[in-house]
Amino acid sequence: FYYQRVSMPLEEKYAGKWRRSSGHPDTAVLIHPSAASLSRPAGTVISTPGGWYDAGDYNKYIVNSGITMGTLLSAYEDFPDYFKNLKTNIPESGDNVPDILNEVIYNLRWMLSMQDPNDGGVYNKCTNAAFDGMVMPGVTQLPRYVVQKGTAATLDFAAVTSQAYRILKLFKKQLPGLADSCLTASKKAWQWSLAHPAMVYDQNEINEKFAPKITTGGYGDRHFSDEWLWAAA
């Protein structure tokens, strides 16, 4: 996952022949009209740096990375002694936090920035309006957006941040305030989900109402029973 990091260069001493420039800073991301609210109208500029690129495209998805986060966090909980001693040669290696958690935290801090602090809802993704071409990250300078909040994204966020709290509270000295921030964010996301129990992220519907059209991965989900179970647990 280190090789998928956004907003930072991959240096040769860590990435070898896969070294590259930092790509998208994501410090000036626009609120898409589908995500507009009274406190954050369309065009409002927010900062949401870091995280992991999803795959071959250069966008960042809450739902997609949520399952990754849950898997990595559960791996650590199941095998803490193994991961305590696993060195993976990432920039944070040797800081008295297991490398697997350091990598998780790089995406976690991005996820936290995707929550609307005014109501607790979570934006579905940070994205270009359309996919970049087959170019290195950061070559294109197209506008980036956060798009409509959704129940699936917000519940996945609630699950990840509550599990992160459970683990990171053991590292309060090394990571002051982070665990508590996760718990607060998780509770706000849960409350938003109770108030919006069936908000589907439907990109086709969004594109009929708002511009610019968003044509990157939609990953629509109309059945939230699994998200409710995960977040509640």
Side-chain angles (χ1 to χ4, degrees), residues 4-6 20 22-24 51-55 57-59 137:
Q4 298 294 100
R5 288 194 190 187
V6 187
R20 59 167 170 80
S22 62
H24 302 78
W52 300 314
Y53 290 123
D54 183 61
D57 67 83
Y58 299 138
N59 307 306

Side-chain angles (χ1 to χ4, degrees), residues 27-31 40-47:
T27 52
V29 173
L30 302 172
I31 300 289
R40 284 183 163 185
T44 299
V45 178
I46 67 169
S47 181

Side-chain angles (χ1 to χ4, degrees), residues 6 15 30 37 39 58 61 65-66 72 97 118 120 139 155 164 188 197 220:
V6 187
L30 302 172
S37 63
S39 55
Y58 299 138
Y61 303 78
S65 66
L72 293 175
V97 174
N118 300 291
V139 171
L155 286 170
K188 289 187 71 172

Side-chain angles (χ1 to χ4, degrees), residues 140-230:
T140 60
Q141 301 295 322
L142 297 170
R144 303 269 276 179
Y145 300 91
V146 293
V147 295
Q148 179 196 296
K149 300 163 189 169
T151 302
T154 305
L155 286 170
D156 286 347
F157 174 98
V160 167
T161 50
S162 64
Q163 189 176 12
Y165 164 75
R166 191 168 70 216
I167 295 170
L168 298 181
K169 68 181 180 181
L170 305 175
F171 298 91
K172 285 191 173 183
K173 182 178 180 181
Q174 298 92 328
L175 302 164
L178 183 55
D180 292 337
S181 294
C182 288
L183 183 60
T184 299
S186 182
K187 289 179 177 180
K188 289 187 71 172
W190 178 257
Q191 292 300 322
W192 184 94
S193 299
L194 292 176
H196 304 86
M199 185 174 285
V200 173
Y201 181 76
D202 186 331
Q203 206 157 265
N204 291 331
E205 185 177 311
I206 288 171
N207 287 339
E208 291 176 0
K209 298 178 181 178
F210 304 110
K213 293 183 185 302
I214 303 295
T215 57
T216 55
Y219 303 107
D221 189 346
R222 296 181 179 275
H223 306 285
F224 305 133
S225 58
D226 49 340
E227 282 84 5
W228 280 111
L229 177 63
W230 187 26

Side-chain angles (χ1 to χ4, degrees), residues 97-162:
V97 174
D99 281 5
I100 190 175
L101 297 184
N102 277 317
E103 195 57 56
V104 161
I105 288 165
Y106 195 78
N107 196 70
L108 177 66
R109 293 190 188 279
W110 166 68
M111 291 182 78
L112 290 170
S113 73
M114 290 287 284
Q115 184 177 48
D116 185 342
N118 300 291
D119 64 12
V122 179
Y123 303 111
N124 190 270
K125 58 183 173 177
C126 172
T127 183
N128 294 359
F131 287 117
D132 277 335
M134 297 296 286
V135 295
M136 290 296 287
V139 171
T140 60
Q141 301 295 322
L142 297 170
R144 303 269 276 179
Y145 300 91
V146 293
V147 295
Q148 179 196 296
K149 300 163 189 169
T151 302
T154 305
L155 286 170
D156 286 347
F157 174 98
V160 167
T161 50
S162 64

